[in-house]
Amino acid sequence: MKANNISKILFFGLSFLLAEQPTKAQPILDGRVTVSNLAVSRADEKLFVAMDIDVSALDLKTNLEMLLTPTLTQGDAIVTLPPVLIAGRNRYYHHLRNGLTPDDATLYREGCIGVIEYRAVIPYETWMNTATLSARSQVRGCCGAPLSDADERLTALGFEPEKRYFVPVPVYVRPEAEAKILTVEGSANIDFPVNRTEIYDTYRNNPVELRKILATIDAVKADADTKIIGVTIKGYASPEGTYANNERLAKGRTQTLREYVQRQYDFPESLLTTDYEPEDWAGLERFVETSGLADRTAILAVIRSDLAPDAKEWRIKKNYPEAYAYLLANVYPGLRHSDYAVKYEVRAYTDVAEIRRLLKTQPQKLSLQEMYMAAQEMEPGSDEYAETFEIAVRMFPDDPTANLNAATTAMMRGDLKRAERYLSKAGDRAEALYARGVLAALSERYDAAAAIFEEARGRGIAEAEEALRQVGELANEPK
C-alpha cells in the first residue's frame, strides 16, 4: 500500500497465440518415407513441431543408415531440429556398441519401427513466422560416408505477427472514512377542518397519512444500527384564498403536526425542526407543465410572472375559469401537504463478513470506505470484486472516488464504454488523470496516452513510468 492510500493489482495476463499448419501425408526420399499429421504451433516464446514419419517402406541394407533432419529456413536464417537416425542391423548395433550416434540423433533400427512420432520444441524467433520447414535426408554407408543427399520441402509457415497489448497496473483510491448521515423522506396530506389548524387523527384520511409519518420514524428507530439525529417537517398550503391567511394556516398546521409527532416519541425539543411554505406555487407549476389543460401555456406564464401571489391566483381564476375550477377540485387538495424528513446516522462496520452481507441486502448503510475495505478481501477481477465497485458507484453516483474506482474495474474487464462514462465524473486528481491515460492506451490511442501519462508522472503517479515505456514501444510497432 502506498503512502497516499493507493492500492495496486496487476491485470490478468493475455492468452497466448496458437496457430497450426496441418498438411496432408506426403512422400519423401523417392516415396520410401512418408510424413503425415504435420503440425507447427507457437505458444509464448516456443515453437512446437509434430509429425508422424512412416519409415516402414525404407528397406535399408544392413550396413546402411538414413539420417533425417528437419530444418527451418528463412533467407540466410536456419535452425536445425533434432534429427532421427534409422539404421540397418549392422549399423544399428555399431552405434549401440560405441554409445553414440552422429549429430545426437535419436536411433531407430530399420525393420523394427514403422511410424516415428516426431516431436520437437525449439525457442521461437520472429523470422520463423514465414519460414519453410524441410526434411533433409542423407543415406550413409558402413563408415558413415554419405551416399546420397536430399532436401525436400514439407510446408511453409504462415503465422501472423503476434499482436502486443498494453498491460497497465490499475490504481485504486482508498476512500476517506466519514460519518454516514442518511435521510429518508416522505410526504403526507393531512386533512384539517376548513380554515382551522387542529389535527384530528381520525378525520377523513388522517389515520393513513399520519401512519405514513410514524411508520417512517419507526423503521429508523427499530434498526439497532441507526440513531435518529433530526426530524424535519415542512407544511404547505394551496394558493386558494389570501396569502396572509394561507401563511397562517401553513405555519399553524405545521406546528400542530410537530406537536403531534413530539407526543408520540418524546423527542428532545432540538431534534424536531419545522418550516412552512404559505402557498405551493412550485407544485402547481409542476402539475400544469405536464398537464393537458387547454390554457396550459397562458397559466404557466401567470405562475412564472412577477405578480404577487394573490394577484396570480385572481388572474387565473378570472381569465381561465374552467381550468381554475379543475385545479381547485383536483390539484389544490394535493398542494396542502406536509413533507417530512428523518435524518439518521449509521454506525461504522469493521467486520468484513458483515459488510459483505450488507452489500447484498442493505448497501445504503455502508460507506465507500467500508465497501473498499471489503473489496480488499476479494479476488481481484472476480465477479464479486467488480460488483462491489459497481454497488459503490450506484450508491454514490456523483462521488469522484466511487466513479474512479468503478472506471478502473470496468477497464480491467474490458468494458471501455462504461469506464469512459465513469471517468467523466471521476474528478481531476492525479489518479483520475492516470486512469484516463489507461483508457486511451487500451483504446490504442498511444500518442494521447503518452501525453497523459507524462503529466500523471509529473504529478507523482509512479505507475505512469511503466505505462509510458509500454505505449512508447507500441506506438513504434509496425501497423
Side-chain angles (χ1 to χ4, degrees):
M1 190 69 65
K2 292 168 58 179
N4 58 352
N5 288 329
I6 305 302
S7 70
K8 305 179 294 181
I9 59 171
L10 291 176
F11 271 61
F12 295 114
L14 300 174
S15 60
F16 60 77
L17 173 65
L18 178 65
E20 293 186 351
Q21 295 81 27
T23 63
K24 296 179 180 179
Q26 59 184 111
I28 60 174
L29 204 63
D30 298 325
R32 289 180 290 164
V33 176
T34 302
V35 175
S36 61
N37 299 321
L38 172 61
V40 183
S41 60
R42 172 161 61 92
D44 297 326
E45 298 303 317
K46 297 185 183 301
L47 193 76
F48 299 85
V49 178
M51 65 181 107
D52 293 338
I53 306 172
D54 188 345
V55 295
S56 57
L58 187 56
D59 193 22
L60 288 172
K61 293 182 179 179
T62 187
N63 289 322
L64 298 182
E65 62 189 24
M66 190 268 289
L67 183 69
L68 182 66
T69 307
T71 60
L72 278 171
T73 57
Q74 173 61 276
D76 294 333
I78 182 168
V79 168
T80 299
L81 278 67
V84 294
L85 181 66
I86 302 93
R89 181 181 181 279
N90 289 349
R91 292 297 298 166
Y92 177 78
Y93 286 111
H94 167 78
H95 289 304
L96 287 183
R97 284 194 301 271
N98 290 279
L100 56 86
T101 58
D103 304 310
D104 295 323
T106 302
L107 178 65
Y108 298 94
R109 179 180 170 183
E110 189 270 335
C112 296
I113 181 72
V115 176
I116 300 170
E117 295 183 354
Y118 183 87
R119 305 291 184 265
V121 181
I122 60 173
Y124 163 77
E125 297 181 49
T126 304
W127 64 264
M128 296 177 183
N129 286 338
T130 55
T132 298
L133 178 64
S134 301
R136 181 176 299 168
S137 56
Q138 186 179 74
V139 177
R140 300 175 174 184
C142 62
C143 297
L147 302 178
S148 66
D149 280 288
D151 195 355
E152 301 178 75
R153 178 183 179 278
L154 296 178
T155 188
L157 279 60
F159 291 107
E160 291 292 330
E162 185 173 4
K163 182 175 177 61
R164 296 178 59 205
Y165 296 91
F166 178 71
V167 184
V169 175
V171 173
Y172 285 86
V173 176
R174 177 185 291 275
E176 297 293 333
E178 56 186 20
K180 295 177 287 182
I181 307 299
L182 305 178
T183 302
V184 58
E185 300 175 337
S187 185
N189 292 95
I190 309 299
D191 276 320
F192 293 85
V194 176
N195 221 27
R196 304 289 294 273
T197 60
E198 308 95 295
I199 284 182
Y200 297 100
D201 53 12
T202 59
Y203 184 64
R204 294 185 177 176
N205 202 42
N206 281 354
V208 173
E209 297 300 307
L210 289 170
R211 188 65 227 160
K212 285 163 57 176
I213 301 174
L214 303 184
T216 302
I217 297 173
D218 289 343
V220 178
K221 278 180 62 66
D223 191 334
D225 290 348
T226 65
K227 175 185 176 183
I228 294 177
I229 58 176
V231 177
T232 301
I233 300 172
K234 184 174 182 179
Y236 296 81
S238 68
E240 178 188 6
T242 67
Y243 188 87
N245 190 54
N246 287 334
E247 183 174 25
R248 178 185 68 85
L249 292 174
K251 183 177 180 179
R253 289 171 175 175
T254 301
Q255 180 60 27
T256 302
L257 183 56
R258 180 193 187 282
E259 294 168 357
Y260 174 85
V261 172
Q262 176 68 19
R263 289 195 301 272
Q264 312 306 312
Y265 298 102
D266 193 25
F267 285 136
E269 288 292 326
S270 60
L271 194 75
L272 276 147
T273 58
T274 60
D275 194 7
Y276 65 91
E277 189 81 31
E279 296 179 353
D280 189 5
W281 284 98
L284 180 62
E285 180 182 2
R286 285 193 297 271
F287 174 81
V288 174
E289 193 170 31
T290 58
S291 73
L293 292 174
D295 300 309
R296 182 179 69 89
T297 303
I299 294 172
L300 280 174
V302 175
I303 293 173
R304 293 166 179 169
S305 71
D306 294 332
L307 292 172
D310 287 347
K312 289 182 183 181
E313 210 244 340
W314 178 83
R315 182 165 294 185
I316 295 172
K317 182 177 181 180
K318 178 178 181 296
N319 294 345
Y320 315 105
E322 291 185 7
Y324 180 82
Y326 177 84
L327 294 173
L328 186 64
N330 298 283
V331 180
Y332 278 27
L335 300 179
R336 305 170 197 134
H337 59 98
S338 298
D339 292 350
Y340 55 91
V342 180
K343 183 181 292 187
Y344 60 97
E345 183 174 6
V346 182
R347 73 170 177 89
Y349 300 99
T350 57
D351 184 345
V352 171
E354 184 177 24
I355 295 172
R356 293 172 81 156
R357 176 179 59 79
L358 289 170
L359 278 167
K360 296 179 172 61
T361 58
Q362 294 177 291
Q364 70 276 8
K365 295 173 72 172
L366 297 172
S367 68
L368 275 178
Q369 190 267 344
E370 289 164 342
M371 295 182 191
Y372 182 90
M373 181 170 63
Q376 303 315 294
E377 302 297 321
M378 300 173 188
E379 179 67 28
S382 66
D383 289 343
E384 183 185 24
Y385 184 87
E387 179 62 17
T388 297
F389 288 106
E390 282 292 316
I391 292 171
V393 80
R394 285 201 298 271
M395 293 295 102
F396 302 90
D398 298 317
D399 185 272
T401 298
N403 278 278
L404 173 56
N405 288 341
T408 299
T409 303
M411 287 189 287
M412 281 182 63
R413 298 169 74 84
D415 193 342
L416 302 190
K417 288 186 177 180
R418 186 185 295 266
E420 185 175 17
R421 186 170 74 249
Y422 290 145
L423 282 176
S424 69
K425 301 170 70 175
D428 58 359
R429 64 186 298 161
E431 293 81 12
L433 180 67
Y434 171 80
R436 293 185 177 101
V438 171
L439 179 63
L442 292 175
S443 302
E444 299 185 1
R445 294 183 286 111
Y446 299 126
D447 290 343
I452 297 172
F453 287 139
E454 192 68 54
E455 184 179 352
R457 181 173 64 176
R459 293 177 61 182
I461 302 299
E463 293 79 5
E465 186 73 42
E466 168 62 16
L468 274 169
R469 184 193 66 78
Q470 287 193 52
V471 297
E473 293 179 356
L474 290 166
N476 293 322
E477 281 195 349
K479 304 297 183 184

